[in-house]
Amino acid sequence: MTLTFQTQTVDATWGCAYQQVVDTPGLQNVKLCFVEVTNLATFAAVITRGVLDKSWMTSLDPIDYMSYDMTVTETANKLVGIFQATSTTGTLGADFGELMVTMISAYALEKIFSHLRLPIAELWKPKLSGNEGFDFHTTCPADLVNFGEAKYSSNTNPYTLAISQAEDFIDHEKHFRDGVHLKSLVSSNCVKNLTGKQFGMVAAFSIQGKNPDLIFANAAKSAAALAAKNKVNSIYLVGVK
C-alpha cells in the first residue's frame, strides 16, 4: 500500500507541524493524518491554557454548569501539574504522553478535516475507576460525533491497541454512554445522528519509528478491516510523533 504525505504545515503557536496522508483508492471511509510536536515546552503551555479555559461551559444550562464546575476545576488542576512538570523538565512521561496524543490529535483533525474539538473527556468524565471509555471527541461537518481513543508508548507504535480498544468500546456501547454528557456539548443535529447510530471513530497513536509511511500503511490496513464491518460511518487515524 502506497501512501502520499501532503506538504507539512507548521504551527509555531502550538509547537507542532501537521499534514494529511492521502490514502489509496482501496481504503473506504478511512482518513489519515500525521502531527509532530516540534516544541514540547510551547505545546505544554498551549494545552495548559486549553484545559484551564472554561468558556465552553458558558452555554450550559445552570444545572449542567453546576454539575461540571467542580469536576472540571479539580481535573484541570491535576492536568496542569502534569503539563508543568513536562515543560520544566523537558522530558516526556507516560501521563503526559497520552494527554499529548489526545489533545494534539483533536487539534490535527480540526486543522485538516475541519472538525470541532470538544473539551477532553477527562475534564467532564474523570477516570476514577479504571478505563471509563473514549479519551476525546470531535464533531465533523457531516454533523457526526467522532469518538477518539488515544494510545501512547515510548518504544512501540500502538495503532493496533488504539483501534482494537476503540472497537471494544463501541461493542460495549461506551459511545452511547457518553451521550448523557454529549447532548449538552454538541449540536442538535449531532445528537439526532447519534440517536440514529450514525457516528465516527478516531484511533490516535504515538509513532516512535523512523518510517511513518510504513507504520501508517499497516495501521490503515487494520482500520480498513474494521471499516468493512460497518460499525462506524468513518474512521480517522492520527499518528503523533
Side-chain angles (χ1 to χ4, degrees):
M1 180 181 292
T2 302
L3 302 176
T4 302
F5 288 70
Q6 293 187 339
T7 302
Q8 191 178 66
T9 299
V10 176
D11 186 343
T13 61
W14 265 71
C16 73
Y18 56 87
Q19 59 194 140
Q20 183 176 355
V21 182
V22 182
D23 54 9
T24 64
L27 289 176
Q28 299 298 321
N29 302 322
V30 179
K31 299 180 180 180
L32 302 86
C33 61
F34 175 76
V35 58
E36 180 178 5
V37 176
T38 54
N39 188 315
L40 194 60
T42 297
F43 175 71
V46 169
I47 61 177
T48 296
R49 292 192 295 269
V51 298
L52 290 174
D53 182 6
K54 297 169 70 173
S55 62
W56 61 273
M57 296 176 61
T58 59
S59 61
L60 300 176
D61 67 48
I63 292 296
D64 286 342
Y65 187 98
M66 288 189 294
S67 298
Y68 288 128
D69 190 28
M70 187 53 66
T71 296
V72 170
T73 298
E74 290 176 345
T75 305
N77 289 337
K78 182 191 73 173
L79 297 179
V80 167
I82 296 172
F83 300 158
Q84 289 178 339
T86 297
S87 183
T88 300
T89 64
T91 58
L92 187 60
D95 287 341
F96 183 86
E98 186 157 317
L99 290 165
M100 176 188 72
V101 174
T102 294
M103 299 186 77
I104 201 69
S105 295
Y107 166 83
L109 292 172
E110 176 186 61
K111 291 297 182 180
I112 296 173
F113 299 113
S114 301
H115 284 211
L116 176 65
R117 289 180 286 132
L118 301 185
I120 61 171
E122 192 162 351
L123 285 174
W124 42 265
K125 188 186 61 174
K127 300 176 181 178
L128 298 178
S129 57
N131 201 334
E132 299 286 343
F134 287 99
D135 297 311
F136 66 101
H137 305 73
T138 70
T139 61
C140 62
D143 287 330
L144 298 178
V145 179
N146 301 283
F147 296 85
E149 178 64 12
K151 293 298 180 186
Y152 170 81
S153 172
S154 61
N155 51 30
T156 63
N157 305 293
Y159 60 85
T160 300
L161 183 58
I163 294 170
S164 61
Q165 181 76 83
E167 182 180 13
D168 182 68
F169 284 161
I170 289 170
D171 288 342
H172 287 87
E173 298 192 347
K174 290 197 173 184
H175 54 313
F176 294 142
R177 301 183 202 189
D178 287 347
V180 67
H181 301 283
L182 292 171
K183 67 181 182 181
S184 300
L185 302 175
V186 304
S187 70
S188 58
N189 284 338
C190 288
V191 172
K192 180 179 179 180
N193 285 328
L194 183 58
T195 303
K197 299 185 178 181
Q198 304 295 307
F199 58 91
M201 187 197 90
V202 185
F205 55 94
S206 57
I207 291 180
Q208 302 298 337
K210 296 181 179 180
N211 193 358
D213 54 343
L214 177 60
I215 295 167
F216 266 108
N218 291 331
K221 292 177 183 177
S222 297
L226 175 57
K229 298 178 182 179
N230 295 317
K231 294 183 179 183
V232 298
N233 289 65
S234 56
I235 298 175
Y236 296 87
L237 291 181
V238 187
V240 178
K241 185 172 182 179

